[in-house]
Amino acid sequence: VDVYLEANFTGTPYQNKAFQNGTILKNDLVIAQNIGLRYNAAKDLFEVKKTAVLKDDQAKVLIGSKGISINLENEKYVFLTPNENNTAQGYFVDLYSGEKAALYKKIKKVYIPEQKAYTSLASNVAAKYKEKVILYLFKKEGALVELPNSKKSKIKAFGDQSKEVKIYVKENNININKESGLIEVISYYNTL
């Protein structure tokens, strides 16, 4: 595992800098529990330490594969592999799962390099990590649909049932631009 020298940038490549106790599952069977885990969102991988007393540079990288999921604090991460309906790969936070569909969140950290001042009147801009969050509708047949920012496009992501979803959103005055609203809509979608 690479150790980052924080003097070189602001922000962090990790979802949470500290290792947290978590559980690793393979096909819903526990393969390791109460071990130190942290998610490197810049590289889309998990770092693992067997015990908390180990130094950070003694951590190992967990190789992602189909069927791997991680329970970390109150979040569940699932590893997806590409298929004919989906080109995305990596770890996604499972916000809500139902029989037909689920709501996944992808957390990315993008490195923005240092920018030197062009003139003596301007100042340098330090390098930084910027977080980007993307929400996805995951259908159980394996399709992963990125949910765009607009309300209309989010409703279209539900395909054949988008008309029923639109009526449900309007009748119940749901804000689908918030995660809680999307969870409510996907819960309804699973009943159709």
Side-chain angles (χ1 to χ4, degrees), residues 19-21 34-36 49-56 58:
F19 280 85
Q20 300 171 309
N21 277 342
N34 293 327
I35 57 172
K49 288 195 306 185
K50 286 186 180 178
T51 62
V53 295
L54 292 175
K55 294 181 182 176
D56 287 358
Q58 293 177 308

Side-chain angles (χ1 to χ4, degrees), residues 10-153:
T10 59
T12 178
Y14 301 105
Q15 179 61 23
N16 187 338
K17 281 194 242 182
F19 280 85
Q20 300 171 309
N21 277 342
T23 304
I24 302 172
L25 299 104
K26 175 82 173 184
N27 299 323
D28 294 327
L29 297 171
V30 175
I31 58 174
Q33 61 186 14
N34 293 327
I35 57 172
L37 294 162
R38 73 175 170 186
Y39 179 57
N40 184 330
K43 294 184 177 180
D44 194 21
L45 55 84
F46 269 93
E47 297 173 4
V48 182
K49 288 195 306 185
K50 286 186 180 178
T51 62
V53 295
L54 292 175
K55 294 181 182 176
D56 287 358
D57 62 351
Q58 293 177 308
K60 306 283 186 214
V61 173
L62 176 66
I63 297 173
S65 65
K66 190 174 183 176
I68 290 282
S69 61
I70 294 170
N71 292 334
L72 189 63
E73 298 292 310
N74 57 353
E75 291 184 324
K76 179 180 181 182
Y77 290 82
V78 294
F79 188 83
L80 296 181
T81 54
N83 61 34
E84 64 275 353
N85 299 321
N86 154 35
T87 58
Q89 176 175 324
Y91 289 99
F92 294 80
V93 179
D94 185 350
L95 296 174
Y96 172 81
S97 285
E99 290 179 25
K100 287 171 44 178
L103 179 63
Y104 287 168
K105 176 169 68 171
K106 180 73 170 175
I107 301 166
K108 293 183 178 182
K109 298 272 186 148
V110 180
Y111 180 75
I112 300 171
E114 175 185 23
Q115 295 177 345
K116 298 284 185 190
Y118 293 112
T119 67
S120 60
L121 298 174
S123 58
N124 293 339
V125 177
K128 64 180 175 180
Y129 276 96
K130 185 176 180 184
E131 183 173 288
K132 183 178 180 184
V133 175
I134 305 167
L135 295 174
Y136 290 91
L137 175 66
F138 179 72
K139 296 182 181 177
K140 294 303 176 182
E141 68 269 4
L144 187 68
V145 181
E146 183 177 336
L147 295 172
N149 290 333
S150 76
K151 182 178 175 180
K152 190 176 186 178
S153 298

